[in-house]
Amino acid sequence: MFILPNISFQFIATNQGGLETILNPFELYTLPLEDWITSGVNFIVDNYRPFFQAIRLPISFTLESIQSLFLAIPPLIFLILLGLVAWQIASGKIAIYSLIALSLIGFFGAWEQAMVSLSLVITAVVFCMVVGITIGILSASNERVEKWLRPLLDAMQTLPSFVYLVPVVMLFGIGEVSGVIATFIFAVPPLIRLTNLGIRQVSEEVVEAATAFGSTPRQVLWEVQIPLAMPTILAGVNQAILLALSMSVVTSMIGVKGLGGMVLQGLGQVNVGLASVGGLSIVLIAVMLDRMTNVVGSSNQVSWKEQGPIGFFVFGSNVKKIIGVFGVSIILILLVGSILGQQVPIVSTTSTGESLPGKGLVVKSAHSSLLEERFQTEVINIGLRKLGYKTPEPKQIEYTTMHLAIGQGDLDYTGVHWEKGHTSFFEKGGGEEKLQKVGVITPNLLQGYQIDKKTANQYNITSIAQLKDPKIAKLFDSDGDGKANLTGCNSGWGCQLAIDHHLKVYGLEDTVEHDQGSYSALIVDTIARYKQGKPVFYYTWTPYWMSAVLKPGKDVTWLSVPFTSLPKQLGEFTEKDTSALGINLGFAIDNIRIVANKEFLADNPAAKRLFQLVQIPVDDINTQNELLKEGENSLADIRRHAEEWIQNHQEKFDGWIEEARITSNNVSQE
């Protein structure tokens, strides 16, 4: 009875390496699925991107038409029209709710963002209905189609939406159209499933009876099955609408404006009010659309002609009819007048009589979801406008997407590229074949680890290596597991790779855990714990507003590292490259540079020269970041900050513009 355990123990003792291999065969070989998918997507992008760009056209036309119409209608007229529509297709109670909900959104200051989000949702749902109902009908009438479609729908519903944002951007570019496509992928599966289910649930006896009376298969489908399945199909439409709204925050990461952008911007600024306004507005619209579609899909609903304003005025007395005609006429007159009143001629602001090298050309820029990066982008764009270029509002997207879009020509430049920290983004965006680094906007940027000065002085902590001691690490434990909680940064950023690498090479994996997520959200908890008098341990960088809230040397102190070691993806660096303030910070001292599309730079020597000349000291950026934290955080405020900075450095700024003009003239003469 004890022979087998004895043999097993002896085998383990003498063949430990072989046993580990047997018990974990995955160490011998792993499928290179990541490389296969990457190669496949790159092949499609390189060879078929024009085809996918063509797909954008009908979506772009539909979206722009709806969005332009919604934004052109004055809010009061829009509210009246929406109330009448809600009353007609649903009920008076839902019409009243709709008026109250949208009025609240308007008073929140989110009307324009709501119209953008609403137009995007409507566009996505329109295409969901066209494709989803068609495929649902096809799968209901063909078992083979249904069999092959089911696993695809499973994948579309369970695959995290963030996964397909990158291929969508690579194939279709950034912006609202890509947002519609991503929303479509996420929202269409329930509509297909419920359309299929509704038609299949129609009683076989009813179908047989229709066939017995001589109905053709097409007549059975359109006159029997679809009408009877309509409540289920409309339930699918309802689900598509709600899922489309839930995607609005996710799609804001690829440059989609609207309420989702407000939430993302609020998160980036740690502005809970702004994020709440965006989130609450999404909820109000979701409830409104949900109630409307629920009533429309109700089987006991009376004929739409007999209810609402049509039923009230058309089937009412003559007095009601006269009132109805008069009311509709007034609304139409106000609507047409307001729209025509907005068609004012656009006056050029750059017609100075001078030869402007960028006259009529559009330059598209971007920065990350961190609003602190907007300032330098505004300064650069003001310079571009002085050269005659048109500069649409910068996109707010993540670094990976940003570099990809610049490499593909969907964007022209970004002014927030960290020369060393963003190396991997640069390579993924196309490297030196498609991108070019120009100028140095702000040099000597610091990154590293900080702890509160009170704990540092009390326990004489100066190096991150001291956290190998479980007793020291436990001081910074915020979740009760005995390990120090390090507030890290967003997954995929260069700092995330560096932090994970540091924990390994400095032997801290057993005593420190890296809290990852949205840095702006994580740091809120860190600040709250500091204000409660608790020890804090976090990663940070300059320029960033954190240095204004928790001041180095006063509230917190930098930690040194034992030696320089960074992941290969970030490059090879010596201790000299990572040292500042008299200590080794562990991160390369970095520079903010402009990264631009290589073809754009070749075609626009004036813009290229401006990019080479622009310089903004880190102290000036820190000062502007402090203004953000003091409440001057609207886009208009940041634009004003940029204009004031230019006024304070007018001679230098004018010199940049003049040299850029001269460079352009010299190139054109050659």
Side-chain angles (χ1 to χ4, degrees), residues 357 387 606 655-668:
L387 293 170
W656 297 342
I657 302 302
E658 184 60 27
E659 189 168 340
R661 283 199 186 107
I662 293 172
T663 299
S664 176
N665 291 335
N666 292 339
V667 171
S668 61

Side-chain angles (χ1 to χ4, degrees), residues 39-187:
S39 299
V41 172
N42 288 338
F43 175 80
I44 295 173
V45 171
D46 293 339
N47 294 277
Y48 300 103
R49 194 168 193 264
F51 167 76
F52 290 96
Q53 291 293 300
I55 297 176
R56 290 173 53 98
L57 297 178
I59 300 174
S60 178
F61 175 78
T62 304
L63 176 62
E64 290 176 3
S65 300
I66 296 174
Q67 187 170 306
S68 299
L69 176 63
F70 284 3
L71 292 175
I73 300 175
L76 180 60
I77 303 299
F78 189 94
L79 287 171
I80 295 173
L81 292 175
L82 180 68
L84 293 174
V85 171
W87 181 19
Q88 185 63 53
I89 67 175
S91 68
K93 291 182 179 179
I94 295 175
I96 293 173
Y97 168 81
S98 301
L99 291 173
I100 294 174
L102 285 188
S103 296
L104 285 174
I105 292 174
F107 287 121
F108 291 161
W111 179 267
E112 184 174 337
Q113 292 89 338
M115 293 301 99
V116 171
S117 292
L118 192 59
S119 61
L120 189 145
V121 168
I122 291 175
T123 303
V125 172
V126 166
F127 284 95
C128 282
M129 292 175 64
V130 171
V131 176
I133 295 177
T134 302
I135 295 178
I137 293 172
L138 183 61
S139 63
S141 57
N142 191 312
E143 292 290 343
R144 182 173 295 179
V145 171
E146 199 269 344
K147 177 182 177 182
W148 287 102
L149 195 61
R150 190 183 305 165
L152 178 60
L153 295 177
D154 291 340
M156 292 171 68
Q157 286 188 279
T158 56
L159 192 68
S161 54
F162 297 98
V163 172
Y164 50 76
L165 286 183
V166 172
V168 164
V169 168
M170 293 176 70
L171 293 170
F172 297 98
I174 60 171
E176 280 76 11
V177 174
S178 294
V180 170
I181 294 169
T183 301
F184 169 85
I185 296 172
F186 185 71

Side-chain angles (χ1 to χ4, degrees), residues 308-526:
I310 294 179
F312 181 79
F313 295 118
V314 175
F315 296 101
S317 63
N318 289 333
V319 175
K320 291 180 179 179
K321 292 179 182 179
I322 293 172
I323 294 174
V325 172
F326 180 75
V328 170
S329 300
I330 293 296
I331 293 172
L332 289 176
I333 291 172
L334 291 174
L335 178 61
V336 172
S338 62
I339 293 177
L340 291 177
Q342 295 180 28
Q343 306 300 316
V344 295
I346 300 175
V347 180
S348 173
T349 60
T350 59
S351 56
T352 62
E354 302 179 36
S355 176
L356 300 176
K359 188 173 183 179
L361 300 177
V362 177
V363 182
K364 295 167 288 186
S365 59
H367 58 83
S368 78
S369 56
L370 298 173
L371 205 61
E372 289 77 10
E373 296 180 343
R374 181 78 170 215
F375 173 65
Q376 51 264 51
T377 306
E378 288 288 353
V379 171
I380 297 168
N381 280 346
I382 291 173
L384 289 170
R385 289 195 291 274
K386 291 290 184 181
L387 293 170
Y389 293 99
K390 297 178 181 179
T391 57
E393 183 178 342
K395 296 288 186 181
Q396 291 182 253
I397 50 180
E398 292 304 312
Y399 294 117
T400 303
T401 308
M402 183 193 308
H403 286 77
L404 281 171
I406 295 172
Q408 293 168 352
D410 299 319
L411 292 172
D412 296 312
Y413 86 93
T414 178
V416 295
H417 173 83
W418 287 55
E419 182 177 10
K420 299 167 184 174
H422 291 172
T423 299
S424 60
F425 302 138
F426 183 84
E427 295 301 326
K428 290 178 181 178
E432 295 184 355
E433 181 181 347
K434 296 181 179 180
L435 306 175
Q436 185 174 340
K437 301 176 185 180
V438 190
V440 176
I441 297 179
T442 309
N444 301 322
L445 308 179
L446 306 182
Q447 302 177 71
Y449 305 103
Q450 291 183 349
I451 62 172
D452 62 290
K453 196 170 180 62
K454 176 184 175 182
T455 305
N457 291 339
Q458 183 176 352
Y459 294 92
N460 194 29
I461 304 172
T462 58
S463 171
I464 193 174
Q466 292 174 253
L467 274 75
K468 290 176 66 174
D469 184 345
K471 294 180 180 179
I472 297 295
K474 194 172 182 179
L475 296 172
F476 303 98
D477 177 20
S478 61
D479 57 11
D481 64 355
K483 291 185 177 182
N485 288 88
L486 166 62
T487 301
C489 64
N490 299 41
S491 295
W493 286 12
C495 51
Q496 177 252 319
L497 299 175
I499 292 170
D500 289 342
H501 180 80
H502 284 168
L503 296 184
K504 183 176 181 180
V505 298
Y506 301 150
L508 298 170
E509 291 180 305
D510 294 332
T511 56
V512 177
E513 59 180 322
H514 179 192
D515 294 338
Q516 297 181 52
S518 173
Y519 184 83
S520 301
L522 295 173
I523 208 66
V524 171
D525 177 65
T526 302

